[in-house]
Amino acid sequence: MPLQNHEEIFQKKVDREVRIEPRDWMPDQYRKTLIRQISQHAHSEIVGMLPEGNWITRAPSLRRKATLIAKVQDEAGHGLYLYSAAETLGITRDEMIRQLHVGKAKYSSIFNYPTPSWADMGAIGWLVDGAAIMNQVPLCRASYGPYSRAMIRICKEESFHQRQGFEILLTLSTGSDAQRQMCQDAIDRWWWPSIMMFGPNDDSSPNTAQSMKWKIKRFTNDELRQRFVDICAEQVKILGMNLPDPELKWNQERGHFDFGPINWDEFWNVVNGNGPCNKERLEARVKAHEDGAWVREAAVAYANKRKTDPRQATAPSSSHFEAGQSLLK
Ligand code: BYC
């Protein structure tokens, strides 16, 4: 069949909302776009653990510590679902990780900012996870099956992350003057980088039009950014804090909040590797990967042993749950 016919059938499927699965025919460029977006997304989840990991040992109470550990652990899980989804498109996990480590693959700009105070954990949850949810809920309907299915679970967990962040800020906002000041300071530092997370304006976004046609993206960068600003402009009132934008103002005619200009020079500077923490983040990732080599080697050796040693196939289950289940048989 000529290529053009394949492309027409593919587009018709997408238009009818039929999910594309790994063995289905797909245009090369669709495959490449998905590998780019899903792997960047996976890298963002993994690098995104670092700014918060920084606070696990210093969380102010046992409850806060347990919650933060759970959240960071969820992010590791999100990275793994997403690497698995990208692998179904024919790229190996090793290759994706290599591209991250040599600085070829991007990850979200937001994780290149520092987290000097506990209030940053609140601001990350409220603003960064809030922005992530706004961008990611539509991805639950992305045209590529494995990606859309991974996103459903991720979004459920992101909602818990966003609420824990808001709750941290709410607690600080009703605390002492110093705590209120910490809260405002964190909001001031995270607000602009958070609205940059949605990516460049639509007129300078090279990928949006095609990704919308393929129903990978369901809304443009500017549409999602505007929704996010509208929600945060109301939520900040509950905190009794301010968003650091003197031009933020309700526009009755548009039915949206207007907001001030975004510093796109800062955004591209961070995306191109020159943000406050780019170097530190990448070095920490590479070191963690190297330090963890023995775990991967041991897991492979164990899997091989189970494949070749017949006694291993009937070895007792290692988990209490499985051991309990076997008693019921
Ligand atoms: N940072 O044509 P565009 C999370 C790049 S949340 C860095 O609009 P596209 C988490 C873009 O890649 C964060 N680079 O691209 C939350 C492209 O460059 P290339 C991750 C960015 O793909 C809390 C160029 O700019 N979320 O994980 O149509 C805790 C032009 O942009 C950024 C996702 O990845 C940025 N902010 O739209 C832990 C969601 N923005 O690749 C973890 C899935 C743009 O052509 N991804 N660029 O060289 C998406 O929805 C889309 O990829 C984007 C960009 C909206 C981000």
Side-chain angles (χ1 to χ4, degrees), residues 36 40 75 106 109 129 135 197 199 205-207 217 221:
R36 176 183 66 79
Q40 282 177 8
E75 278 149 13
K106 293 190 169 76
S109 49
D129 290 282
N135 163 273
M197 274 175 77
S205 160
N207 301 299
K217 285 167 94 161
N221 300 355

Side-chain angles (χ1 to χ4, degrees), residues 236-256:
V236 77
K237 294 179 190 164
I238 301 170
L239 296 173
M241 298 282 142
N242 296 303
L243 294 177
D245 180 357
E247 293 179 44
L248 187 76
K249 196 165 169 264
W250 177 251
N251 181 327
Q252 186 67 33
E253 215 170 287
R254 290 200 313 121
H256 290 292

Side-chain angles (χ1 to χ4, degrees), residues 33 36-38 40-49 52 71 75 78 82 104 106-111 124 128-133 135-136 139 147 151 158 161 193 196-201 204-209 211 217 221 224 267-268 270-271:
T33 299
R36 176 183 66 79
Q37 177 166 326
I38 303 174
Q40 282 177 8
H41 192 168
H43 299 326
S44 304
E45 298 283 354
I46 298 299
V47 177
M49 295 159 73
E52 293 171 307
K71 177 182 193 275
E75 278 149 13
H78 298 176
L82 289 164
K104 186 168 169 241
K106 293 190 169 76
Y107 58 87
S108 183
S109 49
I110 194 76
F111 302 116
I124 290 184
V128 177
D129 290 282
I133 296 174
N135 163 273
Q136 292 174 18
L139 294 174
Y147 191 26
M151 289 315 303
E158 292 290 5
H161 296 176
M196 291 175 193
M197 274 175 77
F198 294 93
N201 286 137
S204 16
S205 160
N207 301 299
T208 294
S211 289
K217 285 167 94 161
N221 300 355
L224 293 171
F267 172 76
W268 289 115
V270 175
V271 171

